[in-house]
Structures are given as C-alpha cells and as structure tokens.
C-alpha cells in the first residue's frame, strides 16, 4: 500500500490524566489510580487512531510526562529530587532538569506497561518512540561523567536494552527522537550518528529516527523566525544518516522551510514525511495532505513515503489533534487515489 500513515509519537493527554495543552504537565492522580488513567488514555487514543485510518499506531506517550524524562525515571544514577535549571537546545529555552550523579543503569523495564497495553489492544502495526542519546544529554545535567560523549554512549546502551525488550513485546518499529540533531550538526557527524547506531544495535524490527524543529510552542516558533527563508541544517547531516543502518527518517514537510530537495539525500531511506503541521491549530484538508505528499514524491520514490505529523502533538488541544488525525488518514487515502 502506498503512503501508509503514522504519527510522530505523542498525543494530548485527556484533562483527567494531566493538565491539558502544556508540556511537562503534572499528573492528576497517583498510584494505582494514575496507572489506570494512563491505561485508559492509551486505549482511547488507539481507538481514535484506528478510526482515523492511521496504519502504524503509537500509544501516544500517555504514560510519560515528557518524552525524555519518561525514559529517565527508571534509571539508577539520576537525581530527580534536586533538579537544576538548564538551557536546552543551545539555550533556546530553559527547563528544570534532573542530574546524573552516578553510573547509569536500568532499574527495570521502562515502558513495558504501555507497550504491552497497546500491543494487546490493536492488531495494527505498533511504533514506539524513545529519546535519542544526543537529545537525552541535552535535557539532563551532568554531575558525574564530565564528558558529553561518554554520557551519551552510556545512555545509548540503556536505550538499546529497552529497545530490544520493546521488540520482544511485539513492537514493530522503534523510533529514536533526536530533535537535537538540527542544533549540534558538527557533533551529529562526529559522534551523534554513532551513538544512535549503538542505541539501535542488534534490533531486527524496523528502526527510525525523528528529527525536527520542535513542538509548536512559543520558544520553538520564535527560534524558527531566526533561521531565514530556508532551513538547510539537514543538508549537513543527511549524508551521514543515509549511510547509517537506521531504516527510516521522520521529517517535517508541511508549512516547513526545509527545502524538499534535501530529501533526495536520503536515497537509501524510507521517509516519514510530515504532512500535518503541529504548530498551527488550522486543521488540514485531505487535499492539503495530498499536495504535500505530491511535493515530497518529486524527491522520494512514492513507495518510500510514509505520511505522518511534523512533530508530536502533546501540547495541542485534544479536539484539534483528533481532527488532524482524521485529515491525515483521509488525505493519505485520497493520495492513493490521485497519485497511486
């Protein structure tokens, strides 16, 4: 089937699970009640995705407060009790982050609960997202390793451990989210790709990396205004990504200033093309989706295109996210008719 659909990963949390329309939103329950609420939210979004015609589902990151810190919570050697303020993405915005204070080790499985809930309740393909090593070290303070690269590879080993377990849980696609890849381009080529490869080492399921210019929050939209008429950062890293064993690359294409001809640099990859803008509450039409897929197909073979969202929808209003999912499914179906 041409143009299968998926989403970047996250979806808004229902108002009874966490404070809506914000990142790092606090939970509204504790203990067993919180666990049940996470499960229920996961099931709701599985159903909504299926109804929208999404082909490769995610659990919507409903059990994680944040896509990075949801992974960090199950790791020994991290102090969450004494968070410090840190600039993230080269000081694009500030956040209170935990600190690495000792050697890193997984306490237990990290995402078994939500992965197994999702796998039990859908027969469709299942994708699971994990933060990439470079993005993790850009979102946590180091008080132990004293070396960014050494710490990144320590996290890569833990990511690999969890990714292999997710594969055993029945996950079809493991995606590593690396928004830091368009901030530290020299480091991506020096060691970032190698750390990503270590995180994916030995996986036999499909692997992907998601690179983006961030959520539709003010700090990111303001930053994008400083990047000029064309966003060509990917030109510096696509060749190295294309040479890596990672099989898919997720990239924003809708209302993006990324020149689509750069996608031709990913000649060996399946491209998850973002056809839904997560920085706008305007709901796309099916025809809008077709136009983006058609534009991408000038540089990527049609058989190598997956239609997706530009980035996660975690901070978006729930009704807007649902409408955009419907547009994504309807648009891909229309594209099969018109472009197939």
């Amino acid at each position: 089937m041409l143009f299968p659909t998926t989403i970047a990963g996250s979806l808004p949390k229902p108002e009874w699970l966490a404070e809506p329309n914000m990142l790092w939103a606090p939970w509204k329950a504790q203990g067993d009640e919180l666990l049940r609420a996470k499960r229920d939210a996961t099931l709701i979004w599985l159903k909504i995705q299926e109804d929208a015609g999404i082909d490769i589902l995610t659990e919507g990151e409903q059990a994680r407060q944040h896509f990075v810190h949801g992974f960090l919570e199950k790791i020994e050697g991290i102090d969450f009790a004494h968070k410090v303020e840190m600039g993230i993405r080269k000081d694009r915005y500030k956040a209170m982050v935990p600190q690495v204070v000792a050697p890193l080790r997984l306490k237990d499985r990290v995402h078994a609960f939500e992965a197994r809930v999702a796998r039990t309740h859908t027969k469709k393909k299942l994708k699971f997202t994990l933060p990439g090593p470079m993005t993790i070290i850009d979102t946590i303070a180091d008080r132990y390793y004293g070396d960014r690269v050494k710490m990144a590879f320590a996290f890569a080993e833990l990511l690999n451990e969890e990714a292999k377990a997710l594969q055993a849980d029945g996950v079809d696609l493991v995606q590593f989210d690396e928004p830091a890849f368009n901030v530290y381009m020299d480091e991506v080529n020096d060691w970032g790709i190698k750390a990503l490869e270590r995180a994916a080492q030995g996986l036999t399921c499909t692997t992907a990396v998601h690179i983006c210019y961030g959520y539709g929050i003010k700090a990111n939209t303001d930053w994008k205004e400083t990047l000029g008429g064309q966003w060509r950062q990917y030109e510096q890293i696509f060749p190295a990504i294309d040479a890596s064993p990672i099989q898919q690359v997720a990239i924003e294409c809708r209302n993006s200033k990324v020149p689509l001809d750069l996608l031709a640099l990913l000649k060996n990859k399946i491209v998850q093309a973002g056809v839904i803008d997560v920085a706008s509450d305007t709901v796309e039409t099916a025809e809008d989706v077709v136009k983006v897929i058609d534009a991408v197909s000038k540089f990527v073979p049609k058989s190598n295109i997956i239609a997706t969202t530009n980035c996660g929808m975690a901070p978006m209003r729930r009704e807007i996210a649902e409408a955009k999912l419907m547009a994504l499914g309807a648009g891909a179906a229309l594209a099969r008719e018109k472009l197939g």
Side-chain angles (χ1 to χ4, degrees):
M1 181 180 70
L2 286 179
F3 317 132
T5 52
T6 189
I7 62 169
S10 68
L11 288 162
K13 293 179 176 66
E15 63 279 359
W16 39 262
L17 174 60
E19 194 66 33
N21 313 132
M22 65 181 293
L23 292 176
W24 315 87
W27 300 118
K28 290 194 172 180
Q30 295 180 343
D32 289 345
E33 182 183 351
L34 176 58
L35 206 60
R36 288 192 296 271
K38 289 177 177 180
R39 177 184 180 275
D40 291 349
T42 300
L43 296 182
I44 286 170
W45 277 117
L46 288 174
K47 173 63 173 168
I48 291 171
Q49 288 175 85
E50 288 187 346
D51 289 350
I54 307 304
D55 301 298
I56 306 164
L57 310 190
T58 84
E59 41 41 276
E61 300 180 9
Q62 297 298 292
R64 294 177 248 181
Q65 191 176 49
H66 182 266
F67 81 105
V68 175
H69 289 188
F71 179 74
L72 301 182
E73 288 171 358
K74 296 289 182 70
I75 297 177
E76 287 183 2
I78 298 177
D79 180 5
F80 274 89
H82 302 94
K83 290 184 178 180
V84 296
E85 187 176 68
M86 182 174 123
I88 291 176
R89 313 291 183 266
K90 281 191 176 178
D91 288 330
R92 192 186 316 163
Y93 55 93
K94 304 284 186 182
M96 297 301 294
V97 301
Q99 305 179 73
V100 175
V101 295
L104 298 167
R105 188 177 74 85
L106 287 186
K107 299 175 186 176
D108 198 352
R109 282 297 310 282
V110 182
H111 297 302
F113 167 75
E114 58 265 42
R116 291 169 184 172
V117 166
R119 183 69 287 168
T120 299
H121 291 281
T122 185
K123 292 181 170 59
K124 290 201 170 190
K125 285 188 176 181
L126 183 63
K127 163 173 144 179
F128 206 94
T129 60
L130 293 171
M134 180 176 282
T135 295
I136 290 178
I137 69 161
D138 194 48
T139 321
I140 191 169
D142 177 21
R143 297 295 180 269
Y144 176 77
Y145 285 92
D147 184 312
R148 281 169 56 81
V149 179
K150 186 176 181 180
M151 187 167 74
F153 274 86
F155 277 116
E157 291 180 13
L158 304 187
L159 287 165
N160 185 248
E161 189 177 335
E162 178 64 15
K164 287 178 176 176
L166 288 167
Q167 176 179 275
D169 290 333
V171 168
D172 301 287
L173 190 164
V174 172
Q175 175 180 292
F176 297 95
D177 294 337
E178 282 285 24
F181 268 23
N182 70 4
V183 182
Y184 307 101
M185 279 76 70
D186 290 341
E187 292 182 72
V188 171
N189 290 310
D190 289 344
W191 59 265
I193 298 292
K194 293 184 181 70
L196 179 63
E197 290 174 354
R198 177 65 187 92
Q201 186 176 314
L203 292 176
T204 56
C205 66
T206 303
T207 57
V209 60
H210 170 62
I211 312 166
C212 69
Y213 287 79
Y215 290 118
I217 60 175
K218 188 176 187 301
N220 288 336
T221 54
D222 288 350
W223 171 65
K224 291 175 190 178
E225 293 298 320
T226 72
L227 297 178
Q230 287 193 343
W231 302 343
R232 303 195 68 90
Q233 284 82 0
Y234 295 143
E235 194 167 23
Q236 301 175 53
I237 62 174
F238 274 0
I241 292 174
D242 194 57
S244 79
I246 303 297
Q247 295 159 299
Q248 300 185 4
V249 180
I251 208 80
E252 65 268 77
C253 299
R254 167 78 176 166
N255 292 342
S256 168
K257 294 180 182 176
V258 176
L260 293 183
D261 63 335
L262 296 184
L263 298 176
L265 297 172
L266 298 170
K267 56 185 179 298
N268 296 306
K269 303 302 175 193
I270 301 293
V271 173
Q272 294 184 29
V275 298
I276 297 293
D277 184 2
V278 302
S280 168
D281 283 349
T282 300
V283 177
E284 288 80 0
T285 65
E287 290 75 14
D288 290 332
V289 171
V290 173
K291 287 178 184 176
V292 180
I293 292 174
D294 188 34
V296 170
S297 72
K298 303 296 189 291
F299 306 101
V300 179
K302 293 176 183 177
S303 58
N304 286 0
I305 298 173
I306 294 174
T308 186
T309 58
N310 278 354
C311 189
M313 293 182 169
M316 185 172 282
R317 282 164 42 206
R318 181 175 164 186
E319 67 273 16
I320 298 294
E322 289 190 37
K324 283 178 175 278
L325 289 181
M326 297 299 292
L328 174 57
L334 185 60
R336 289 177 206 121
E337 291 180 21
K338 290 190 170 186
L339 308 177

